[in-house]
Amino acid sequence: MEPLFGVVLGLVLAVASSAHNNCTCATNRWTVCAQDGPGNCTCRLLGSNHRVDCSTLTSKCFLMKAQMIPWKEKRFWRPPHRLSDSDGIYNPDCEDSGVFKARQCNQSNTCWCVNTAGVRRTERGDKSLSCSELVRTRWIYIELTHKRSSSAFDVPAIAKALTHLFESRYKLHPRYIAAIKYHSPLIQIRLNQNKKPRWDVDIADAAYYFEKDVNDDSVFHSNGKLSVSVNGDALDIEKLWIYYVDEKPPEFCLRQLAAGISAVVTVVVLTAAVGIAVLLILKWLRTRKYKKVESKEMGEIKAPSLE
């Protein structure tokens, strides 16, 4: 009886140990997970202690916040790559729901307004800057190029493969994929989301996960390199650009345009002034030369009368 009890106890402990080791967040490696009951694994985000729903994507705001945690505090999850300064991330202020707060500030008391993708949409100001609303990013244009192969991919096959990728890996409903265009080696993916139901993935979050995958810095716990197959052939992504279009135009566009017009006007005025000055100087030099010639001729005419 005792040997049987020992075997059963060993199996229970092995199962418990295996469950503890498998307590991870599949959709977010920047988490700390713990087994708090039989079959129940709770994961919390680094930097905010926010509980994470590992069945879907974590908001971009929370992800950016987690990335700003000092490296020494991340030592227990051992990521294979450190963050690059070229990521363009900052330590954002997030609502409890995970969305960006409309106004973001840095440690030097410089503030700016952002959209729902966390992208700056106004000029920078001081603490007095007011952001009345969080403007929604309705369109996201993703442009990428693949390494050239002997022949271009089939357009419908490209569209099918990328639609499947965004639906299966990033949990984005196909209705938010407005179009996929392809002209080798350029691919354009247009995402459109006028309103986001609470249960749907935000296009900004899906685009951010995709960007991290392409840059070989995956947010997923598996951290495997992104692999996209088109009819059995690998789609080797080479370059990536992401553009954001909001419901309302960025507020700094008119200021930049006015500044540009002012600069052009200033250049034109200065050029005209310099040209006029050069003409006046040339005219003055010509007049002076003519006066000298006339004086010399008058002197030559008067000379014989003196003899």
Side-chain angles (χ1 to χ4, degrees):
M1 186 69 180
E2 290 183 0
L4 179 61
F5 176 77
V7 171
V8 172
L9 180 61
L11 289 174
V12 170
L13 291 176
V15 170
S17 176
S18 175
H20 179 75
N21 292 334
N22 291 330
C23 185
T24 56
C25 186
T27 58
N28 189 347
R29 63 189 176 94
W30 295 319
T31 53
V32 179
C33 300
Q35 199 83 27
D36 55 3
N40 189 22
C41 180
T42 300
C43 297
R44 298 188 180 277
L45 189 73
L46 288 171
S48 65
N49 204 33
H50 179 82
R51 187 167 179 171
V52 176
D53 180 3
C54 296
S55 66
T56 188
L57 304 188
T58 305
S59 73
K60 181 180 177 180
C61 190
F62 282 152
L63 291 178
M64 288 175 61
K65 198 166 193 66
Q67 291 177 82
M68 295 302 294
I69 300 301
W71 178 258
K72 63 181 179 180
E73 297 182 27
K74 294 182 179 179
R75 61 184 179 274
F76 45 82
W77 54 270
R78 302 174 187 271
H81 305 291
R82 297 195 180 207
L83 295 175
S84 171
D85 291 339
S86 60
D87 280 353
I89 63 171
Y90 57 91
N91 192 0
D93 292 324
C94 310
E95 301 286 359
D96 292 338
S97 61
V99 301
F100 288 91
K101 290 187 176 181
R103 190 185 76 164
Q104 299 291 329
C105 301
N106 59 18
Q107 295 179 349
S108 62
N109 296 327
T110 299
C111 301
W112 59 94
C113 302
V114 300
N115 56 21
T116 52
V119 179
R120 183 170 66 89
R121 51 174 282 108
T122 66
E123 299 289 354
R124 292 184 175 88
D126 54 23
K127 287 283 189 178
S128 65
L129 178 67
S130 176
C131 304
S132 59
E133 61 177 328
L134 181 67
V135 178
R136 176 151 194 82
T137 297
R138 292 179 54 185
W139 290 87
I140 293 181
Y141 291 78
I142 301 174
E143 292 186 354
L144 54 97
T145 59
H146 65 78
K147 292 183 179 179
R148 294 182 181 272
S149 57
S150 57
S151 60
F153 293 100
D154 183 58
V155 176
I158 281 275
K160 182 179 179 181
L162 291 174
T163 299
H164 176 72
L165 173 71
F166 274 83
E167 184 180 5
S168 61
R169 186 172 177 86
Y170 306 118
K171 320 297 181 185
L172 187 68
H173 198 284
R175 65 172 170 267
Y176 300 128
I177 303 175
I180 297 177
K181 294 184 177 181
Y182 174 56
H183 183 71
S184 181
L186 179 66
I187 304 171
Q188 185 183 67
I189 307 169
R190 286 188 291 171
L191 307 180
N192 180 23
Q193 192 175 52
N194 295 329
K195 294 182 180 179
K196 189 194 83 66
R198 184 178 57 84
W199 53 84
D200 278 346
V201 168
D202 195 295
I203 57 174
D205 299 337
Y208 190 65
Y209 267 76
F210 181 62
E211 179 183 9
K212 300 297 284 185
D213 275 342
V214 172
N215 292 333
D216 200 18
D217 188 21
S218 178
V219 180
F220 292 101
H221 192 272
S222 61
N223 199 31
K225 188 173 181 179
L226 179 66
S227 176
V228 183
S229 177
V230 181
N231 287 339
D233 294 325
L235 179 67
D236 196 354
I237 299 174
E238 193 170 29
K239 294 181 181 179
L240 173 72
W241 303 269
I242 300 180
Y243 306 98
Y244 305 88
V245 180
D246 298 342
E247 289 179 340
K248 299 180 180 180
E251 297 178 16
F252 55 76
C253 283
L254 292 179
R255 295 180 186 178
Q256 287 185 339
L257 181 60
I261 293 173
S262 298
V264 171
V265 170
T266 301
V267 170
V268 170
V269 170
L270 288 176
T271 303
V274 170
I276 293 172
V278 170
L279 289 174
L280 291 174
I281 292 172
L282 290 175
K283 185 177 180 181
W284 177 76
L285 290 174
R286 286 180 182 178
T287 304
R288 185 179 178 186
K289 181 179 180 182
Y290 291 152
K291 286 183 178 180
K292 285 184 177 180
V293 171
E294 288 177 358
S295 300
K296 184 177 180 181
E297 289 177 349
M298 290 296 293
E300 291 176 352
I301 293 172
K302 290 178 181 181
S305 63
L306 293 175
E307 294 177 354

